[in-house]
Amino acid sequence: MGRQPSGSRPTPSLRPWDRRRLDLHAALTAVGVPPRPGDMAAIRTLSALDDTVNAALVRWITAGH
């Protein structure tokens, strides 16, 4: 009772900043700008901003694509 079948693992939920970081990374990659290793500090910093700012960044990055 309450046990999961063997072989299945619980899916950990992402923290908001992790989700925003992945969204920014995906948006950049989708438009052909794969982040370089040195860009990760900027992506982490931007990901610390709220969802409204993140949505604007993703919209700006993907505009016209």
Side-chain angles (χ1 to χ4, degrees):
M1 220 189 332
R3 295 184 64 195
Q4 293 184 343
S6 63
S8 70
R9 294 175 28 186
T11 305
S13 56
L14 292 175
R15 293 175 290 196
W17 74 271
D18 284 326
R19 180 184 40 77
R20 292 189 294 262
R21 179 180 51 79
L22 292 172
D23 287 347
L24 286 172
H25 200 285
L28 288 166
T29 302
V31 298
V33 183
R36 297 179 187 166
D39 296 341
M40 295 314 294
I43 290 172
R44 280 192 304 272
T45 299
L46 291 169
S47 298
L49 301 173
D50 66 26
D51 286 337
T52 302
V53 173
N54 186 265
L57 289 169
V58 169
R59 188 177 70 248
W60 297 341
I61 291 167
T62 59
H65 285 90

